[in-house]
Amino acid sequence: DLYAGMLFGGTGIDRLQRWDGEAWHNAGTANNQVLSLVVHDDELIAGGYFTDIGGVSANRVAAWDGAAWRALGTGMNSGVWALYSNDGVLYAAGNFTTADGQPAARIARWTGTQWQPLGNGFDDGAVFALTAYGGEIHAGGSFTASGGSALGHIARWDGALWQPLGSG
């Protein structure tokens, strides 16, 4: 099935919808926006601004195993705009500054038990998109720097630092 998150719910409409090939169906309740969805380790991972999803307390990121929602750690202090699964690693990005209560400047990776920052992260703005290219994770958004080094709204992770892609 295809799943879609929604910015705004309405009467009789939950913020997570499932398309079965013929019609949309309510698939989950969330108390705020669901902005990103990805499949990771055979679970549907949702990110957004919610703090409750499916009746479970989860700070802006949660996993659905097909039967129940669960929080991934203690989550983030602000929105998760992008989720990406690559080579068995789950990445979350957005405008948050902490993950699991620790500093994580707008991007973090899930170890299976906790969130860890990805280098210096980003000094400002937000991350709206994540992907991989040439074996490296790439981020795009409204950010302009990482660790004081200028980035033009797009950067690649070289395993140690965020690097610019040309002039951005």
Side-chain angles (χ1 to χ4, degrees), residues 25-86:
H25 305 276
N26 288 338
T29 59
N31 68 340
N32 209 328
Q33 299 169 350
V34 176
L35 300 174
S36 186
L37 298 165
V38 71
V39 174
H40 176 76
D41 285 345
D42 296 321
E43 294 184 306
L44 179 67
I45 311 298
Y49 279 97
F50 56 84
T51 55
D52 183 287
I53 189 164
V56 172
S57 179
N59 289 316
R60 299 162 188 93
V61 63
W64 170 255
D65 64 8
W69 286 99
R70 68 180 172 84
L72 294 180
T74 59
M76 283 59 165
N77 69 330
S78 194
V80 173
W81 285 78
L83 293 165
Y84 187 67
S85 180
N86 186 59

Side-chain angles (χ1 to χ4, degrees), residues 119-167:
N120 289 331
F122 301 98
D123 298 351
D124 58 359
V127 178
F128 301 124
L130 294 171
T131 195
Y133 176 76
E136 296 175 318
I137 298 298
H138 288 66
S142 61
F143 57 86
T144 61
S146 174
S149 296
L151 301 171
H153 307 289
I154 188 166
R156 66 179 177 81
W157 175 246
D158 70 7
L161 298 170
W162 287 100
Q163 302 290 337
L165 267 69
S167 61

Side-chain angles (χ1 to χ4, degrees), residues 81-121:
W81 285 78
L83 293 165
Y84 187 67
S85 180
N86 186 59
D87 289 335
V89 179
L90 174 64
Y91 299 89
N95 63 344
F96 56 87
T97 57
T98 65
D100 276 349
Q102 302 300 315
R106 297 163 184 85
I107 190 163
R109 66 178 152 217
W110 179 244
T111 67
T113 58
Q114 66 182 2
W115 290 101
Q116 293 181 332
L118 202 58
N120 289 331

Side-chain angles (χ1 to χ4, degrees), residues 12-23:
I13 299 174
D14 291 329
R15 289 201 168 134
L16 189 60
Q17 297 286 303
R18 179 182 57 83
W19 176 255
D20 66 7
E22 295 182 20

